[in-house]
Amino acid sequence: MTMSALAIAAQVRDGSRTAASFLEETIARIEARDGDFNAFTELTLARARRDAADIDARRARGETLPPLAGVPFAVKNLFDIDQVVTTAGAKVNQGNPPADADAVLVARLKDAGAVLLGALNMDEHAYGFTTENTHYGAAHNPHDLTRIAGGSSGGSGAAVAGGLVPITLGSDTNGSIRVPASLCGVFGLKPTFGRLSRRGSFPFVGSLDHLGCFAGNVADLAAAYDAMQGPDPADHACAQRPAEAVSATVANGLKAGARVAVLGGYFHDWANAPAREAVRLAAEALGATTVVELPGAEQARAAAFIITGAEGGALHRQRLLTHYADYEPASRDRLVAGTLIPANWVVQAQRIRQKFYEEASRLLQDYDVLIAPATPVAATTIGAEWVTINGQKLPCRASMGLLTQPISCIGLPVCTAPLWPGIGEDPHLPLGVQLISGAWREADALAAARTLELAGISAVRDV
């Protein structure tokens, strides 16, 4: 595992290492190892060297350096990078003009001193859970190169798990941060819908898209999240709330008396034994002895599918008519089908979504954190078409989102923490848990993850 982001920044600030030396170390590591992982689709080395040199020059002038000074990071390739084409994993976008500015979150991390290394592999247009990209090739799980890294932010999860960079950015519409975090064994944060600006990112489903981050420990995750917070009037979905820094408040874990429960019912039934064991381990460490149900989860997942299909199809309809052959086979038929969804289905899906949100909000008045598995199974082999969950044979790609879709449908914040249940057919593979908190209460989810980290049961393992 690479050095933590905060340790890098501390050494750059105190002068014991330069940002340039950390950068060259990172470049060498990517060149040596990413051939196995296929996490990067674009390297921005000239820019990175300029940014690192600027950090070192600022220190030489005696300036106070920002909190992430010299920290290497990379972003899912649906984030705009100045002077780079934002492909969103798609051939059809390769002829687009380069972005003329960084995405807001990329710019905020740069302002915090972080050094961008490039763009990361993903499912085309973020429509998938496995990052088996036809154009760029599959992202490989660093813990077993025959396995998927999850999706659609698979490159982001693999880059952290493989020790290439300490922080990455991703997006989560139906589970695309939480699934790779679970399968790659890293920490991932999907904030409340509207918490972080989406300006400068390629959209998928406007009413469901979230942006967030991955890291190798909770402190780094919280620091990246803090650096990206703040209102953005130019993003209509971004809540105009002041930043609420969490780094200091989550450092010691959950406060005494925190109310934690396990989600049963749907979230138990659609998880195999290793995923249930991960939940049991987390519950034991967090002192959660109560099992509760969240009615309507199955219906909420169906609603998410309908909303995703309708909005995604509408977004791509015109280009599907003119460039159908350029779209990835794994997603283009679903996008076409989405254009045919009746309007009354979408209206009903939104009603179900609202009802499920109200159910979850009532439950989260009684509990600070809810625990659920993040994925029903560990990482499957690349190319697998089917997966068996509790005796039922199901399509592999769609089923990886069984447990994440209901939660992102209603926009609640979730921190995925990596665990290692060590049972079943794949004891060498990680499985994450979702730590779900109420809207705008990211600190509770992160504090729960920190408690698991302090207990020694949640950690990123070297590869």
Side-chain angles (χ1 to χ4, degrees):
M1 198 66 206
T2 186
M3 186 181 292
S4 77
L6 293 182
I8 291 170
Q11 291 193 19
V12 171
R13 282 197 302 271
D14 70 21
S16 57
R17 290 281 303 272
T18 63
S21 70
F22 277 119
L23 173 62
E24 295 306 323
E25 217 172 65
T26 302
I27 293 170
R29 195 161 52 241
I30 292 169
E31 290 175 344
R33 306 200 70 190
D34 194 43
D36 291 332
F37 309 145
N38 196 31
F40 278 85
T41 57
E42 178 92 25
L43 288 170
T44 54
L45 301 188
R47 166 185 170 145
R49 288 182 169 117
R50 287 194 304 269
D51 290 349
D54 178 63
I55 290 289
D56 291 334
R58 290 169 64 183
R59 190 186 185 282
R61 293 192 298 267
E63 295 181 22
T64 300
L65 296 183
L68 297 177
V71 174
F73 79 106
V75 301
K76 186 174 183 175
N77 72 9
L78 56 66
F79 286 83
D80 284 353
I81 298 172
D82 189 25
Q83 300 309 306
V84 173
V85 175
T86 308
T87 67
K91 177 182 177 181
V92 73
N93 296 325
Q94 290 173 357
N96 291 353
D100 58 9
D102 287 338
V104 169
L105 299 191
V106 176
R108 288 179 177 175
L109 283 181
K110 180 181 178 181
D111 289 345
V115 176
L116 180 69
L117 264 294
L120 298 163
N121 205 351
M122 60 181 284
D123 285 291
E124 182 179 273
H125 293 124
Y127 206 173
F129 285 120
T130 63
T131 311
E132 295 171 280
N133 189 297
T134 301
H135 315 298
Y136 294 98
H140 294 253
N141 193 311
H143 297 285
D144 182 336
L145 297 177
T146 69
R147 308 298 180 110
I148 62 170
S152 62
S153 310
S156 301
V160 173
L164 304 183
V165 289
I167 291 172
T168 60
L169 300 189
S171 68
D172 190 310
T173 302
N174 287 301
S176 292
I177 288 173
R178 290 160 291 158
V179 170
S182 175
L183 302 187
C184 289
V186 300
F187 292 91
L189 177 66
K190 181 197 80 64
T192 307
F193 179 81
R195 171 67 88 174
L196 298 180
S197 173
R198 302 179 301 183
R199 184 157 52 97
S201 64
F202 198 102
F204 176 30
V205 182
S207 68
L208 296 177
D209 291 345
H210 305 63
L211 301 182
C213 46
F214 298 80
N217 60 72
V218 175
D220 285 358
L221 194 69
Y225 168 63
D226 281 349
M228 295 187 292
Q229 284 192 60
D232 178 13
D235 178 0
H236 72 278
C238 185
Q240 303 310 303
R241 299 170 65 96
E244 300 174 26
V246 301
S247 292
T249 60
V250 307
N252 296 318
L254 281 171
K255 295 177 181 177
R259 304 162 300 168
V260 184
V262 172
L263 280 180
Y266 174 90
F267 295 93
H268 175 273
D269 297 342
W270 290 109
N272 276 359
R276 293 176 184 174
E277 174 64 6
V279 169
R280 188 195 68 78
L281 291 169
E284 184 176 69
L286 294 173
T289 58
T290 303
V291 177
V292 296
E293 292 202 22
L294 183 50
E298 188 168 7
Q299 291 80 5
R301 181 178 181 242
F305 268 124
I306 290 169
I307 294 165
T308 296
E311 290 193 31
L315 180 67
H316 290 276
R317 181 180 182 277
Q318 190 57 46
R319 285 198 305 168
L320 283 165
L321 291 171
T322 57
H323 293 81
Y324 180 81
D326 290 333
Y327 275 77
E328 187 171 54
S331 61
R332 65 190 179 195
D333 291 346
R334 286 179 289 153
L335 288 170
V336 170
T339 67
L340 305 176
I341 292 175
N344 65 313
W345 286 23
V346 180
V347 171
Q348 183 64 10
Q350 294 290 7
R351 288 174 179 155
I352 289 169
R353 181 186 189 186
Q354 179 61 32
K355 182 179 179 182
F356 186 59
Y357 176 77
E358 291 167 0
E359 292 280 2
S361 297
R362 279 193 288 270
L363 188 57
L364 284 160
Q365 289 175 2
D366 297 326
Y367 296 98
D368 300 302
V369 175
L370 302 173
I371 308 169
T375 51
V377 296
T380 53
T381 55
I382 292 170
E385 293 291 332
W386 301 95
V387 63
T388 300
I389 302 173
N390 287 340
Q392 294 195 48
K393 184 179 178 182
L394 299 169
C396 183
R397 289 184 177 90
S399 298
M400 280 298 175
L402 268 166
L403 305 172
T404 54
Q405 281 181 283
I407 305 303
S408 46
C409 183
I410 54 177
L412 297 179
V414 185
C415 183
T416 298
L419 282 92
W420 300 82
I423 65 170
E425 296 178 357
D426 302 306
H428 64 300
L429 294 176
L431 271 165
V433 293
Q434 296 186 85
L435 302 168
I436 306 159
S437 54
W440 316 111
R441 285 163 36 194
E442 286 82 0
D444 288 340
L446 286 161
R450 178 59 178 154
T451 299
L452 297 182
E453 195 176 35
L454 289 169
I457 67 164
S458 186
V460 177
R461 294 186 179 178
D462 291 342
V463 296

